[in-house]
Amino acid sequence: MNITQKIIKNHLISGEMKAGEKIAIKIDQTLTQDATGTMAYLQFEALGVQKVQTELSVSYIDHNMLQNGFMNADDHAFLQSIAKKHGIYLSKPGNGICHQVHLERFGIPGKTLVGSDSHTPTGGGLGMLAMGVGGLDAALSMAGQPFYLNMPKVVEVRLTGSLKPFVSAKDVILELLRRVTVKGGVGKVMEFTGPGIETLTVPERATITNMGAEIGATTSIFPSDEITRQFMAIQERDEQWVAVQADSDAVYDDLIEIDLSTLDTMIAQPHMPDQVVKVKEIEGKEVNQVVVGSCTNSSYKDISTLAQMLKGKKVHENISMGLLPGSKQVLRKLVQTGELDSILDAGVRILETSCGACIGMGFSPGTDAVTLRTFNRNFLGRTGTKSAQAYLCSPEVAVAAALEGKITDPRDLGLDTPVYDVNTTFTIDDSLILAPDEDGSNVEIKRGPNIKPLPLNEGISGKIEGTVVLKVEDDITTDHIMPAGAKILPLRSNVPEISKHVFEVIDPAFPERAKAAGTGIIIGGENYGQGSSREHAALAPMYLGVRAKLVKSFARIHLANLVNFGILPLTFVNPADYDSIDQDDKLAVDLSDIESGQVTVTNQTKGSSFKADHPLSQREIEIVLAGGALGYVKKQTVTA
Ligand code: MIC
Ligand code: SF4
């Protein structure tokens, strides 16, 4: 067996471990972050469970940190009180980005982790089976419910050789994105093997598994080996280490080979993470802003590399450069080593230890600006500036641009190769992590006026008759559907308000039109809903009356979120039918035969009809017809 199969087998509750089959597994750990967490905990509350049933659940506050008004602070207080009450650890603002802190302080090889954030696969760098899910699935896991997924295919990504100076882990995942695109990993786990893995530290492995989210993979995973043990020993957690290795005769569904020593410095161009070219191909392009940080590239190794490259130098006068350290542990180390001095002397702006600019929470670039970011996503508008051109690259490439004022291959600067000592120790200080109350029954939950009750869906019966309220192309991301950023993110606990921004970057008139239509249907292309795990991309359209989405194909987490909120996900049997539908057409979806796996769609405007598939199991059909998972699960537990 490979590692993926071994971990799944150890956690299997039901189903057959055959690729594509529905399986249910037990979840050991959960994590949430504040932008998805407030909703996840409102849902957990609605499930009526007093204490989380997992081995460990952690609630992080790292996204909504720009406290412009009362909203985010209200949400933080809510999260802190609800964690204390229900047995959840709370990582306070300032402690760090959820994935970085989880790697440092909580991840355990061989365990299962779901997180209400699509970059939860960062934990795969430690040998965990770590998956991003919608908030409701995280809530259900906390309540002790099994987690349902399709048994993934397992792709062996065999690494050989070792990285050349100034070429880094980020270039490995950018190369993978170049080869397989943002759709290439759907339904698959990327499992890393080969002698090349011994040359990569845990944070480097985590950079790769983190951004595996961008190829649409269910997750990505490295073995847990001596390097993992040493990483955990430095975190004073070696007693939690276990080896996780594939059998020598393990079988995989596919093979991708990457020789690390042949890799170049790479960069993803606007506005998709798979628009990857060699840095050399676009060298010389003028740059306005550079930001280093995010859950992909904010480990101490990443930032120490930056400090070493900047030492004794100045950031170019036309560049505004920002740094977001991944955790308090990382920031403190930079202070202790004096590397923060080199960074400050070079003229870098130190931003908060948070997601920050990655999610458009501050530090937005100017009009038409070119911004180089060590992040994982460069979707249109995500920086907070629609006209900006965002590029994704490694810290090495980012610093080279910051020094030169233009896109530059770091290998051409004649700098000393940055070094990293894997034995580097850290001050272990968990004082910003609050333990829950033993009992919890006396803890009062704080609910500020920003926290509005969860809207519910009344369910569907017989047929859906509605208007095509929007028709979109391929690769629509959840950032298109439900934008984030400093203005919109604080509304995550207030669905009536946040729904006014649905599809804002594509069509600002959408919310009004959808409301006026009553029942809405959305038509989309391939890989619809890729990107983040935000369930608001399902919940807010549901609130506006959307009851079905008919597309060429769906991304995994968004599909699960649609089911969870009672929106019927349909795919074209014949992709040509996509062309026959226009916005404002009236469609009727006949559900009488839904159990056959197909439904009939009649286009009343065009006088035509065709078949559409749905990927739903019997259980999921019942969930959608019931108006979503919350009502369904509650009913099940009450009747059980
Ligand atoms: C993101 O990177 O887009 C986020 C913000 O972390 C999201 C979650 C969210 O929308 O809150 C993610 O990736 O899941
Ligand atoms: Fe935060 Fe950005 Fe990572 Fe999302 S991708 S968790 S916003 S740092």
Side-chain angles (χ1 to χ4, degrees), residues 319-353:
I319 300 271
S320 169
M321 182 171 188
L323 169 67
L324 298 142
S327 67
K328 190 177 79 162
Q329 186 183 91
V330 168
L331 179 55
R332 174 170 282 149
K333 188 74 197 171
L334 296 168
V335 174
Q336 290 166 341
T337 57
E339 287 166 298
L340 192 63
D341 286 334
S342 313
I343 297 172
L344 288 171
D345 288 345
V348 178
R349 287 171 60 178
I350 310 299
L351 305 168
E352 215 174 347
T353 297

Side-chain angles (χ1 to χ4, degrees), residues 371-628:
T371 173
L372 255 60
R373 311 181 143 216
T374 64
F375 308 165
N376 45 40
R377 290 185 174 145
N378 57 347
F379 304 144
L380 180 69
R382 187 173 162 98
T383 61
T385 306
K386 201 173 161 187
S387 69
Q389 305 287 312
Y391 292 75
L392 307 172
C393 63
S394 66
E396 289 84 343
V397 173
V399 176
L403 290 172
E404 296 298 305
K406 55 186 189 218
I407 295 182
T408 303
D409 193 320
R411 293 169 296 187
D412 295 338
L413 294 181
L415 301 174
D416 292 340
T417 305
V419 289
Y420 181 68
D421 178 1
V422 289
N423 294 314
T424 305
T425 54
F426 297 91
T427 304
I428 307 298
D429 165 18
D430 288 333
S431 54
L432 286 181
I433 298 174
L434 307 181
D437 245 27
E438 272 294 316
D439 171 15
S441 52
N442 293 327
V443 178
E444 205 189 308
I445 295 177
K446 299 198 174 118
R447 271 174 242 272
N450 191 42
I451 297 171
K452 294 279 181 285
L454 242 154
L456 292 174
N457 183 347
E458 69 290 352
I460 315 170
S461 61
K463 70 162 125 171
I464 300 174
E465 276 193 287
T467 309
V468 174
V469 283
L470 190 71
K471 181 175 175 181
V472 288
E473 312 279 309
D474 290 353
D475 292 328
I476 289 299
T477 72
T478 52
D479 275 81
H480 293 108
I481 307 171
M482 187 69 262
K487 283 210 289 287
I488 306 177
L489 269 172
L491 306 174
R492 285 284 177 93
S493 328
N494 186 341
V495 177
E497 271 311 308
I498 204 169
S499 68
K500 295 179 183 159
H501 302 275
V502 173
F503 281 115
E504 196 166 85
V505 281
I506 296 185
D507 180 358
F510 176 84
E512 281 306 316
R513 191 168 62 244
K515 268 201 147 153
T519 299
I521 298 175
I522 290 175
I523 307 297
E526 302 280 3
N527 201 21
Y528 181 91
Q530 65 158 328
S532 101
S533 69
R534 63 190 69 155
E535 59 190 356
H536 295 73
L539 178 53
M542 181 278 276
Y543 178 79
L544 295 173
V546 173
R547 289 294 174 269
K549 292 196 179 184
L550 173 56
V551 305
K552 292 184 185 164
S553 65
F554 285 105
R556 176 185 66 91
I557 308 179
H558 187 60
L559 175 64
N561 286 336
L562 292 177
V563 174
N564 280 348
F565 290 99
I567 297 179
L568 180 65
L570 297 171
T571 52
F572 291 102
V573 174
N574 177 4
D577 291 328
Y578 170 90
D579 301 318
S580 71
I581 306 176
D582 292 304
Q583 190 172 305
D584 298 330
D585 282 0
K586 300 261 182 268
L587 305 185
V589 184
D590 180 357
L591 303 178
S592 52
D593 216 12
I594 191 165
E595 272 153 38
S596 71
Q598 283 196 338
V599 296
T600 305
V601 181
T602 306
N603 188 332
Q604 296 167 333
T605 310
K606 302 277 161 59
S608 57
S609 72
F610 57 87
K611 294 271 181 208
D613 284 330
H614 70 74
L616 308 178
S617 64
Q618 183 56 36
R619 177 179 157 274
E620 288 166 331
I621 293 176
E622 287 166 29
I623 292 177
V624 171
L625 297 183

